[in-house]
Amino acid sequence: MHKITLINGDGIGPEISDSVLKIIEASGLKIDWDLQTAGSDVIEKEGTPLPNRVLDSIRKNGIALKAPVTTPIGKGFRSVNVQLRKSLDLYANLRPCKNLPGVKTRFENVDLVVVRENTEDLYAGVEEKINENTAHSIKIITREASERICRFAFEYALKNGRKEVCCVTKANIMKLSDGLFLDVFRDVSAEFSQIKPREILVDNLCMQLVQDPTRFDVLVLPNLYGDIVSDLTAGLIGGLGVAQGANIGDNCAVFEPVHGSAPDIKGQNKANPTALLLSAVEMLKYIGENTYAKKIESALFKTLSNGYKTSDLGGELTTSEFTNKIIEYLI
Ligand code: NAI
C-alpha cells in the first residue's frame, strides 16, 4: 500500500482534503495517509507553522498531497510554502492548464503548461530595510537553478509530446539576472533538437495570453513571473478552483493546487475541491496508479459535463454535494 503524507492545510484546506480523500477511497484505491498538520493552527502549540515532523514525513514517504496553508502577512513567519519548497529542494513547480469539459470559458483548446522555478529569484527571502522609507529585495538568479529548471521543462516537453518551450523573462531590463536565465535557456535548448525553443518578454506574454492562449505550449519562468502568470492561466480555464499543481524535486514531490486557503469562504461548504482533486490525480499518475487516476478523472469530467458545479463555476452545489456526485459517477 502507498504511504503518502497528507497536509490538510488550513482555511478551506480541511474541507477540500476531506472531499478528495472520500473520492479516492470510493474509487477503491487504498492509501495509507500520514496526516501532518501545518500552518496557522499549529503555531501556538509548536511555535512554528512548519514543524520538522512535516518535512521528515515527506522525506520518508517521498510524496505528499498538500492543501493550502495561510501565510500571515508581516507576522515574522516565512511562508510555509516557500520554506517547504526550499527545504525539500522542490525546484520545479509544474502547473498544467487545460480546459475542463463542461466548464465554459472565454477560450477553447487551452492546453499549456507553466514550469516555474521554485527556489530563488525574489522569493529567496533576501530583504533589508535601509531606512524608514526604503527597503530592498534581492533578486537571486543562479546558473545552477536556471539550468535544472530549463532542463526539466525540455525533458517534460519531450516526455509529454509537447512541441515548444518558451522562455519568459524581462531580460531587456534585468540584463544580468533575467539575462543569465535566458542565456542558460539558450544553452540547454541546444541539447533538445526535437523541441522548438522560443523567447518572450513577460509583459508581452500576458497580453498575448489574454488575447489567444492557444499560441502557447510549455512556458518556463523564473519564480515571481511563474507565480503571477500561473494565476493568470488559471483564470483562462475557470479560475483558481480548478487549477492544479505540483512541486517536484529529485527526491520528493508535493502535489498541491495553485490556490490559497481562501479564508473568505472557509467553513461554508462552498469551496471547489477540483483543483486539489486534479492535483491528486496527477499524484496518482506519478506513483503509477494510472487506472485509478483515469477512473477519478472521468468521474470528475462527467460530473462537470452534466452541469454539476460549485458556486465559483456558476453552479449551485455545496462542496459535499459536488463530492457525492463525483462518487456516484465513480461507480
Ligand atoms: P486564495 O487563492 O486563497 O483566494 C483567492 C480567491 O479565490 C478568493 O476569493 C477565494 O475564495 C477563491 N478561491 C480560491 N480557491 C478556491 C476554491 N477551491 N474554491 C472556490 N473559490 C476559491 O488567495 P488569497 O486570498 O490571496 O490567499 C489566502 C491565503 O492563502 C494567504 O495567506 C496566502 O498566503 C495563502 N496561499 C497559500 C498557497 C498555498 O498553500 N499553496 C498558495 C497561495 C496563497
Side-chain angles (χ1 to χ4, degrees):
M1 200 190 315
H2 299 284
K3 185 156 187 176
I4 296 176
T5 304
L6 172 73
I7 301 169
N8 66 348
D10 54 30
I12 58 168
E15 302 164 48
I16 56 174
S17 303
D18 274 1
S19 156
V20 169
L21 257 53
K22 276 191 189 135
I23 295 167
I24 294 179
E25 197 184 344
S27 77
L29 179 64
K30 299 249 175 302
I31 288 179
D32 180 6
W33 296 106
D34 179 5
L35 175 64
Q36 295 289 333
T37 48
S40 50
D41 299 351
V42 308
I43 296 179
E44 201 174 309
K45 228 164 120 204
E46 302 187 58
T48 164
L50 184 64
N52 277 334
R53 60 175 167 75
V54 182
L55 297 171
D56 290 343
S57 162
I58 303 173
R59 282 194 193 101
K60 197 167 101 220
N61 298 324
I63 195 120
L65 182 65
K66 178 183 164 296
V69 173
T70 305
T71 300
I73 297 176
K75 293 255 179 76
F77 286 108
R78 256 189 108 182
S79 152
V80 168
N81 305 305
V82 172
Q83 218 181 317
L84 194 128
R85 293 166 193 170
K86 273 210 89 154
S87 311
L88 299 172
D89 202 19
L90 302 169
Y91 60 86
N93 189 315
L94 188 65
R95 295 180 163 179
C97 173
K98 193 172 174 184
N99 285 118
L100 292 168
V103 181
K104 205 170 155 25
T105 53
R106 201 174 292 263
F107 301 101
E108 283 171 12
N109 305 317
V110 179
D111 183 9
L112 55 87
V113 179
V114 175
V115 178
R116 162 185 170 195
E117 201 288 321
N118 228 1
T119 62
E120 53 180 29
D121 194 357
L122 280 159
Y123 286 44
V126 188
E127 288 195 298
E128 57 178 344
K129 194 157 185 179
I130 306 299
N131 58 42
E132 261 320 292
N133 303 310
T134 311
H136 286 177
S137 292
I138 314 285
K139 178 174 166 103
I140 296 172
I141 300 283
T142 65
R143 179 174 297 280
E144 190 194 2
S146 306
E147 198 172 312
R148 64 181 179 173
I149 196 67
C150 289
R151 185 158 286 118
F152 181 95
F154 278 100
E155 278 166 0
Y156 177 89
L158 207 56
K159 265 190 233 140
N160 291 277
R162 300 275 172 170
K163 307 261 171 311
E164 180 188 277
V165 177
C166 181
C167 179
V168 185
T169 64
K170 192 75 187 164
N172 56 334
I173 305 293
M174 276 156 283
K175 294 179 196 301
L176 298 183
S177 51
D178 281 11
L180 175 60
F181 191 89
L182 182 58
D183 278 349
V184 171
F185 171 82
R186 288 175 180 162
D187 290 347
V188 172
S189 71
E191 297 167 25
F192 295 86
S193 55
Q194 310 90 313
I195 307 292
K196 191 172 153 233
R198 179 172 164 192
E199 299 169 8
I200 195 165
L201 297 176
V202 65
D203 37 359
N204 181 12
L205 170 80
C206 291
M207 190 271 291
Q208 294 208 35
L209 277 173
V210 297
Q211 277 190 330
D212 180 8
T214 64
R215 289 179 198 154
F216 296 95
D217 191 347
V218 176
L219 303 170
V220 63
L221 314 87
N223 207 340
L224 176 65
Y225 308 141
D227 191 5
I228 298 168
V229 167
S230 56
D231 266 36
L232 188 161
T233 56
L236 298 171
I237 54 157
L240 286 169
V242 299
Q244 56 163 306
N247 300 289
I248 300 175
D250 290 333
N251 302 314
C252 20
V254 175
F255 292 79
E256 65 173 344
V258 172
H259 67 73
S261 55
D264 53 334
I265 56 166
K266 173 188 171 178
Q268 297 174 29
N269 200 15
K270 262 172 95 159
N272 187 351
T274 300
L276 184 64
L277 185 61
L278 285 171
S279 308
V281 164
E282 277 315 301
M283 180 192 77
L284 296 183
K285 290 182 191 163
Y286 189 85
I287 58 172
E289 292 291 357
N290 291 309
T291 312
Y292 288 102
K294 274 267 145 239
K295 189 173 170 186
I296 294 170
E297 196 175 58
S298 358
L300 168 70
F301 289 173
K302 269 189 219 149
T303 306
L304 292 169
S305 302
N306 287 335
Y308 297 109
K309 290 173 200 157
T310 44
S311 58
D312 56 310
L313 296 179
E316 286 167 2
L317 264 52
T318 60
T319 312
S320 7
E321 287 164 346
F322 183 68
T323 306
N324 290 338
K325 269 287 158 210
I326 299 174
I327 291 174
E328 268 176 40
Y329 283 118
L330 272 172
I331 301 149

